[in-house]
């Protein structure tokens, strides 16, 4: 009797598996070359998970009498895992294009922040925006990310700083999680900045006594799905001590620790994250050697953000040193009003050129390692039997074109597929 399946991708020039042995992440020498099949086909079942991958003729024989809801001829094309964007701030109102001009004229991030711009400007506008307005702009941004090949995106709150607005942002992320096809990982980031009129200690007290208990309630009754907790650990924002208190509070209620650290000043955030069992730390432009060693030992992922260092003209994070020491390196776009980039292919290109990563290292960082940083690498981040059928098909004979062609993803990407269903077709 013929079985029916959701999707057959036939005769791909290359299928980039990334992992072939169920690895949860790739680090050290494992990154030298990725698992790639030539002349292969792939089947996604009706449950949205990958059923089979292998040589085209073997797959054809195995599934000869079966039916498929969709068949795509991939001759001359490459199939890659859907890209994973491990760090974004995509829910906000209040454009900051005027600040880009200030930065180009020499103003630093902290100059703008102290003049009432930066996060504070966006907070003001986000507090006044309706939930519907925020959802509409968020959905448009996610559609742009999806067209650039992202199939799983981490999304932070953090432009409310008061409980009502933070919850409004998390409800917007929750609605998108339920209504849209893209995979989302939700992060509570109420400690993104110290709100006007409060000290860092008062803000931390408010988060620990009011925000987190309410969040726990909403998670337990199924109204909100929140995965991670984030704090901006930085000089003049939250110091090591307040950061520790907030992260420990989140960890107690079952949130994964995934926070901003060592970006503008060395804060020993990496050492703190390793000690607390953080899943991931982002930025790390100013991380210490001890912090790098601690993260490697704790298997705490480093989410590097090439767009931020590029646009703010910061020193680049030491990706090479991290990779050489065995740190699990992931990538994110850091999409936000300060770094307006939707495209993980551009992020990978910048990582290769400015951070001296190789193309296999960059692709692993934007797939399996980014999924690991979100605690989702059991189901996402590589093309292996039993994993979710999230894929990108590019019109090129070698997968490296996705990184090599700077800004060329609009022309290259033919299909983006989530759970075996086409969510974007050029």
């Amino acid at each position: 009797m013929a079985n029916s399946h959701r999707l057959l991708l036939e005769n791909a020039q290359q299928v980039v598996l990334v992992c072939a042995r169920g690895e949860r992440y790739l680090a050290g020498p494992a990154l030298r070359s990725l698992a790639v099949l030539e002349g292969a086909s792939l089947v996604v079942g009706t449950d949205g998970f990958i059923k089979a991958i292998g040589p085209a003729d073997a797959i054809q024989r195995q599934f000869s009498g079966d039916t498929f809801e969709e068949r795509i001829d991939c001759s001359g094309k490459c199939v890659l895992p859907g890209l994973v964007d491990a760090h974004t701030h995509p829910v906000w109102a209040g454009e900051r294009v005027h600040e880009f001009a200030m930065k180009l004229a020499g103003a630093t991030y902290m100059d703008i922040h102290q003049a009432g711009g930066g996060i504070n400007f966006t907070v003001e506008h986000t507090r006044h925006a309706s939930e519907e307005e925020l959802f509409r702009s968020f959905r448009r941004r996610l559609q742009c990310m999806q067209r650039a090949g992202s199939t799983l995106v981490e999304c932070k709150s953090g432009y409310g700083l008061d409980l009502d607005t933070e919850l409004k942002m998390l409800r917007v992320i929750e609605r998108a999680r339920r209504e849209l096809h893209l995979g989302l990982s939700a992060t509570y980031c109420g400690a993104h900045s110290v709100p006007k009129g409060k000290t860092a200690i008062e803000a931390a007290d408010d988060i620990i006594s009011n925000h987190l208990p309410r969040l726990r309630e909403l998670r337990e009754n199924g109204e909100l799905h929140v995965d991670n907790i984030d704090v901006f650990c930085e000089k003049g924002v939250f110091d090591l001590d307040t950061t520790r208190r907030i992260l420990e509070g989140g960890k107690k209620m079952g949130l994964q620790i995934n926070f901003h650290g060592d970006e503008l000043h060395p804060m020993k955030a990496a050492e703190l994250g390793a000690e607390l069992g953080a899943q991931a730390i982002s930025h790390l432009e100013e991380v210490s050697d001890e912090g790098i060693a601690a993260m490697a030992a704790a298997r705490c992922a480093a989410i590097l953000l090439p767009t931020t260092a590029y646009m703010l003209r910061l020193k680049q994070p030491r990706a090479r040193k991290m990779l050489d020491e065995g740190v699990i390196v992931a990538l994110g776009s850091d999409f936000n009003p300060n770094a307006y980039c939707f495209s993980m292919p551009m992020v990978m290109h910048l990582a290769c050129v400015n951070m001296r990563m190789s193309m296999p290292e960059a692709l692993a960082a934007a797939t399996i390692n980014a999924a690991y940083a979100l605690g989702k690498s059991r189901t996402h981040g590589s093309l292996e039997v039993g994993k979710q059928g999230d894929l990108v098909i590019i019109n090129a004979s070698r997968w490296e074109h996705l990184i090599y062609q700077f800004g060329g993803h609009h022309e290259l990407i033919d299909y983006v597929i989530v759970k075996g269903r086409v969510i974007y077709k050029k």
Side-chain angles (χ1 to χ4, degrees):
M1 188 185 114
N3 295 312
S4 77
H5 311 281
R6 188 168 285 174
L7 177 69
L8 170 64
L9 302 184
E10 295 181 283
N11 296 316
Q13 179 99 20
Q14 291 187 318
V15 175
V16 185
L17 309 176
V18 176
C19 302
R21 293 193 300 277
E23 298 94 333
R24 294 281 167 260
Y25 56 84
L26 295 178
L31 285 164
R32 289 210 185 109
S33 65
L34 303 178
V36 178
L37 298 179
E38 310 269 340
S41 295
L42 180 148
V43 175
V44 181
T46 49
D47 60 359
F49 289 85
I50 297 170
K51 273 267 185 307
I53 309 173
D57 48 356
I59 295 286
Q60 197 178 0
R61 278 197 303 277
Q62 190 186 338
F63 293 89
S64 61
D66 293 4
T67 59
F68 298 91
E69 288 171 37
E70 181 144 22
R71 303 171 81 115
I72 298 174
D73 177 9
C74 296
S75 305
K77 299 181 181 182
C78 294
V79 179
L80 297 90
L83 302 176
V84 180
D85 189 342
H87 183 123
T88 79
H89 302 260
V91 181
W92 47 268
E95 282 278 325
R96 272 154 51 194
V97 66
H98 60 285
E99 288 181 10
F100 187 47
M102 292 160 75
K103 282 177 210 131
L104 296 179
T108 69
Y109 177 85
M110 275 304 179
D111 291 340
I112 292 169
H113 187 75
Q114 275 145 8
I119 292 173
N120 300 320
F121 179 87
T122 306
V123 166
E124 233 13 71
H125 287 76
T126 305
R127 282 179 179 175
H128 291 126
S130 73
E131 210 161 309
E132 186 57 38
E133 213 179 309
L134 288 172
F135 178 75
R136 281 203 304 269
S137 59
F138 177 41
R139 183 174 56 194
R140 275 199 308 275
R141 291 165 196 154
L142 287 176
Q143 283 162 347
C144 294
M145 291 176 181
Q146 166 181 307
R147 288 200 294 270
S150 291
T151 55
L152 173 61
V153 178
E154 184 268 357
C155 303
K156 300 177 194 296
S157 68
Y159 291 121
L161 311 182
D162 58 32
L163 180 56
D164 288 348
T165 315
E166 289 296 314
L167 291 178
K168 175 170 71 173
M169 294 179 74
L170 290 169
R171 283 195 302 272
V172 166
I173 296 168
E174 178 63 21
R175 180 176 164 194
R177 203 179 64 77
R178 292 180 187 188
E179 292 183 16
L180 310 179
H181 300 297
L182 220 56
L184 302 181
S185 177
T187 302
Y188 163 73
C189 186
H192 193 200
S193 183
V194 178
K196 275 186 200 147
K198 278 198 171 92
T199 65
I201 289 174
E202 289 165 345
D205 290 343
D206 182 38
I207 286 168
I208 291 160
S209 326
N210 300 314
H211 292 213
L212 294 182
R214 182 74 182 115
L215 215 52
R216 179 191 282 125
E217 223 172 277
L218 293 167
R219 279 179 89 218
E220 282 169 1
N221 68 24
E223 278 181 62
L224 277 186
H225 199 97
V226 183
D227 304 285
N228 318 292
I229 183 156
D230 191 350
V231 174
F232 188 14
C233 178
E234 184 54 70
K235 196 171 156 186
V237 192
F238 291 96
D239 68 9
L240 219 50
D241 200 49
T242 45
T243 298
R244 173 193 292 276
R245 288 175 54 219
I246 296 166
L247 293 176
E248 281 175 342
K251 187 178 180 175
K252 265 198 204 91
M253 52 180 274
L255 297 175
Q256 297 178 122
I257 295 177
N258 184 333
F259 72 112
H260 291 62
D262 295 327
E263 178 185 356
L264 305 171
H265 299 91
M267 299 284 294
K268 295 202 185 306
E271 290 90 325
L272 174 69
E275 180 202 325
L276 294 179
Q279 187 73 26
I281 305 170
S282 288
H283 280 292
L284 301 164
E285 285 84 353
E286 298 285 346
V287 69
S288 69
D289 290 356
E290 295 74 18
I292 290 175
M295 286 180 71
R299 294 215 229 342
C300 169
I303 302 172
L304 305 184
L305 308 169
T307 51
T308 314
Y310 165 71
M311 290 188 208
L312 292 180
R313 299 172 175 150
L314 302 176
K315 77 175 196 199
Q316 298 286 333
R318 293 185 291 159
R320 277 271 46 97
K321 170 121 176 120
M322 293 180 202
L323 288 159
D324 295 344
E325 301 234 348
V327 174
I328 300 162
V329 173
L331 289 170
S333 67
D334 196 13
F335 173 81
N336 76 81
N338 168 57
Y340 204 104
C341 175
F342 295 120
S343 165
M344 286 303 289
M346 289 181 84
V347 167
M348 290 190 285
H349 179 102
L350 288 172
C352 291
V353 175
N354 289 341
M355 295 186 188
R356 308 198 180 308
M357 289 173 72
S358 70
M359 288 190 282
E361 286 167 346
L363 185 65
T367 53
I368 191 68
N369 288 356
Y372 173 84
L374 304 178
K376 289 188 183 282
S377 62
R378 280 185 164 69
T379 46
H380 295 71
S382 63
L383 300 183
E384 298 176 85
V385 171
K387 280 193 144 179
Q388 197 167 295
D390 295 0
L391 320 129
V392 177
I393 302 173
I394 65 167
N395 190 6
S397 58
R398 292 181 63 95
W399 69 264
E400 291 92 342
H401 277 274
L402 191 59
I403 299 176
Y404 163 62
Q405 294 190 21
F406 187 50
H409 60 265
H410 295 295
E411 295 308 311
L412 265 178
I413 295 176
D414 276 351
Y415 293 88
V416 179
I417 292 163
V418 169
K419 294 184 183 168
R421 291 216 159 93
V422 173
I423 61 168
Y424 165 73
K425 180 181 179 187
K426 192 171 88 182

